[in-house]
Amino acid sequence: ELFGDIFIGVRLLAFQLISSVITAFIMKRILYGHEKLPKICATLTKRTALGESIADSAMTMISIASSAVFFIVVSDAISHAVTLEGTALAILKSTLEFSSGCAEAARSVNFALPITAFALGHCGAAVAMQVKSVISGKLSIKPSLIGKTVSCTVMTLLAFIFG
């Protein structure tokens, strides 16, 4: 069983740490090549009233929660329409929404650890939409998507090789 096994949790943590280092190295090469990283990054600062900040925070929280619920409903609808079970269902749910994907992977008999590693590395389309709603035009989501793809690939490979 995947849940409740401390050794599996430690392995997933190790896979995440290794994947983070590899992803950072690859991302640095993709985004900056052999140049040094910029020392100072410009930050967006804007003075807003307390009421406006609270309203913005509330809308962000609603957007984040609705994104997760939307992708859970979509994955359930697809799985019932196509009648997916086991590994295929775990991969679908992991691709769309992180927590339901991990839960389904834990129930999956085959490839539970690699599918969970995939879910941890990718975090699902719901998290991509959540990131997009938080940055809302201020930053590009492209580096995040590239990083998630690299992290997902590395973590899944580590789980297959060392899992």
Side-chain angles (χ1 to χ4, degrees), residues 60-78 93 96-101 123-130 133:
T60 300
M61 291 302 293
I62 290 169
S63 175
I64 288 171
S66 63
S67 175
V69 170
F70 173 77
F71 281 103
I72 289 171
V73 170
V74 167
S75 68
D76 285 345
I78 292 171
K93 288 191 173 204
L96 295 177
E97 201 276 325
F98 168 76
S99 60
S100 62
C123 293
V127 170
M129 292 305 294
Q130 291 166 350
S133 72

Side-chain angles (χ1 to χ4, degrees), residues 75-161:
S75 68
D76 285 345
I78 292 171
S79 67
H80 290 304
V82 184
T83 319
L84 293 176
E85 295 178 348
T87 303
L89 180 60
I91 291 171
L92 170 72
K93 288 191 173 204
S94 295
T95 301
L96 295 177
E97 201 276 325
F98 168 76
S99 60
S100 62
C102 285
E104 195 61 44
R107 287 190 287 268
S108 175
V109 176
N110 298 326
F111 308 112
L113 187 63
I115 294 170
T116 303
F118 170 81
L120 288 170
H122 180 263
C123 293
V127 170
M129 292 305 294
Q130 291 166 350
V131 169
K132 180 76 172 151
S133 72
V134 169
I135 63 173
S136 61
K138 297 174 190 144
L139 299 170
S140 171
I141 194 167
K142 187 177 177 181
S144 175
L145 295 176
I146 292 170
K148 290 291 181 189
T149 302
V150 171
S151 177
C152 168
T153 304
V154 171
M155 281 196 66
T156 305
L157 287 173
L158 288 171
F160 269 116
I161 295 168

Side-chain angles (χ1 to χ4, degrees), residues 43-61:
T43 58
L44 301 174
T45 58
K46 178 178 142 184
R47 292 188 164 206
T48 57
L50 180 61
E52 187 179 337
S53 294
I54 292 171
D56 285 348
S57 297
M59 290 307 296
T60 300
M61 291 302 293

